Amino acid sequence: MLGPNGNGFINAAADVTPYGLPIPSPLLRGSVGVVLQSGALASSVLGFAQARNVGISLLTSMGNESLVTVTDVIDYLVDDPATRAIALFLESVRDPAAFSRAARRALLAGKPIVALKIGRSRLASRTAQAHTGALVGDDNVIDAAFRQLGVVRVRSLEDLIITAGLLAEVGPLPGPRIGVVTPSGGASEIIADRAEDEGLELPAFAPQTVARLREIVPAFGTVQNPLDVTGYVLIDRTLLGRALEAVTADPGVDAVMLLSDLPRLAPPDPAPVYATFAASAKRMAEAPMPVVVVSNVLTDVTEFGRSVQREAGFPYVAGGIEHGMHAIGAAVRWSRAYRAAVEAANGAVPAKAATITPAVEAASAPTVEPAVEAGTGVWAEHRAAALLSSAGIPVVPGELVHDEESAVAAAVGFGYPVVLKAAAEGLGHKSDIGGVRLGLSDARDVERAYREVVAAAAAVPGAGRVGALVQPQRGGGVELLAGVVRDPAWGLTLAVGLGGIWVEALRDTALRVLPVDAAEVRRALDELRGTALLRGARGTEPADLDAVAEVVARVAAFAESLGDDLESLEINPLLVRGSHVEALDALITWRG
């Protein structure tokens, strides 16, 4: 049973239409499967797809999913030969494990999933103690999970249909280097700006391409990428097509974007229009690389434009520069995920399916044996650090003391300068209560610091027995955060990013749903805005990012080994100085 509380479905490929609302005529058959957790929007989506000449294979209004689920329909579409791309409108992901399995099947089958997931919430803490909880919210976790699964996420119904239509048309793109051919200088500037937003490259044309284009483009034009062939296209109807042919032969680009609108009104003699578009279509079909056609603005395709596209064999036209550039960027990102998934499946990269719920598959993660039975409440730093150290994770040495004399003795043992921190069970962020003293250089400093941090901790309700943790002072390098927190739907989620006192102020983190391996952590590090700091900005020592990734992956694997009672595990800061990686502070919170 499909539903209840839905509009039914339209199987355009099979001409089966048990659908409860009027269907626009003619019904456009195509290769985009549409699945919606909404009844009211189904007809609007169908109408927009028709307006942009996007044909559907199947459209399903899910209703309450009492029996047939979104995952069931995705599985059907993965196996459906009439479907090349899948568009989802989601109010919720009800079964992350089942959704993950279906999404992986779609990715390996080369069928892109484009999803509009609504219900974005404000970032909310999953745990009162961990900084990581303030960085991990429902929407951020879904972003991370979708990215790992190769699901393209969009923010509007227009992008949902336009992006799915483009992916169904062009399939995988070889890379991010785009050559652009337009008849407008203004449009070239917009395209250049949007390309940067989408992470696309607009490389300079090769010398042989420049030479060829100079023979084609009028003398008052400028040969560069993006290429403005100028308004002379109104005089010479072959200009755009000849320029396109030259750019598609350039060895330095992976795909070409052609800015071209379908005609809206039929002239008295439409034959030249048909001939021009047929010639362009032939050039694109014979091009050695994919050509993506984008219109200037988002307008409906008229009946005449539809007939020209059909009769001339002209490819799909993405509606508007804004949506078209977003679709190209999404296609490049999906193509990268698709190639990686295929390589992993073929054995080029070791692969392993997740063994936890949800079953988000990932490359092989480090194996860490459980080192302790589940605890309760918040574990103070000295206890959390000892647990991490037992798992082989590098932790700064420390000594727990309960009087001034012992504190001084520990400081002498480590060598000055030292750090003193308040220590008590249930005590979370010590700096918030004035429980941390840095750079202590002699016995008098240590004695005074001990009295101050112990007094600060004793004032916290329920602190219990209070002491201090003495550690050697560390300096230099870059401070990161590596934290794992449990999302109620997707399970344990890793956050890695810039740490220290700036973690919540900068919010420069990348998320991954566990399990992950070092290679996936490495990709997460590359996503950070502050990655330049790790690479050695302004002459500083560059970090060994592979070493960082190995340690963070081990932290993530250890968090998994602690079982279902773990709420969060956080290292902040994780000091990185060259190849030296060391946890300077740790916090563990248990559920219940």
Side-chain angles (χ1 to χ4, degrees), residues 472-494:
Q473 175 87 38
R474 299 292 198 235
V478 178
E479 294 184 346
L480 298 181
L481 169 138
V484 176
V485 67
R486 186 175 300 278
D487 181 83
W490 295 88
L492 293 178
T493 303
L494 169 72

Side-chain angles (χ1 to χ4, degrees), residues 140-151 360 490 511 513:
N140 284 1
V141 175
I142 287 172
D143 262 349
F146 280 11
R147 188 163 49 246
Q148 287 172 257
L149 294 168
V151 174
V360 179
W490 295 88
L511 304 184
V513 177

Side-chain angles (χ1 to χ4, degrees), residues 287-375:
M289 64 183 62
V291 178
V292 180
V293 186
V294 177
S295 64
N296 283 277
V297 294
L298 180 58
T299 55
D300 291 355
V301 178
T302 65
E303 201 54 50
F304 177 63
R306 200 187 313 278
S307 70
V308 169
Q309 188 172 23
R310 181 177 59 251
E311 297 300 325
F314 201 74
Y316 168 73
V317 180
I321 296 173
E322 171 66 27
H323 300 289
M325 292 301 294
H326 180 75
I328 296 172
V332 168
R333 291 187 289 274
W334 174 82
S335 301
R336 189 180 299 124
Y338 168 65
R339 285 190 292 271
V342 170
E343 288 173 1
N346 291 337
V349 178
K352 166 191 167 186
T355 55
I356 62 170
T357 301
V360 179
E361 298 173 62
S364 178
T367 300
V368 178
E369 292 299 323
V372 68
E373 294 183 2

Side-chain angles (χ1 to χ4, degrees), residues 564-581:
D564 293 339
D565 287 327
L566 179 71
E567 178 66 38
S568 66
L569 184 159
E570 179 178 284
I571 297 174
N572 181 34
L574 180 71
L575 179 66
V576 180
R577 189 175 59 243
S579 59
H580 177 81
V581 184

Side-chain angles (χ1 to χ4, degrees), residues 242-305:
R242 289 187 293 123
L244 174 66
E245 188 173 19
V247 173
T248 55
D250 191 291
V253 299
D254 300 309
V256 175
M257 171 186 165
L258 173 66
L259 194 69
S260 177
D261 284 285
L262 290 169
R264 296 186 58 79
L265 301 175
D269 180 11
V273 176
Y274 282 94
T276 298
F277 277 84
S280 293
K282 184 174 184 296
R283 281 192 173 97
M284 285 183 269
E286 296 173 349
M289 64 183 62
V291 178
V292 180
V293 186
V294 177
S295 64
N296 283 277
V297 294
L298 180 58
T299 55
D300 291 355
V301 178
T302 65
E303 201 54 50
F304 177 63

Side-chain angles (χ1 to χ4, degrees), residues 126-130 370-380 383-388 390 425-426 484-486 492 558-570 587-592:
R126 289 295 175 205
T127 167
Q129 294 290 338
V372 68
E373 294 183 2
T376 57
V378 178
W379 277 16
R383 198 173 179 189
L387 181 59
L388 291 170
S390 71
E425 291 302 330
V484 176
V485 67
R486 186 175 300 278
L492 293 178
F558 182 60
E560 287 186 274
S561 78
L562 295 176
D564 293 339
D565 287 327
L566 179 71
E567 178 66 38
S568 66
L569 184 159
E570 179 178 284
L587 183 69
I588 295 177
T589 305
W590 302 96
R591 301 170 79 178

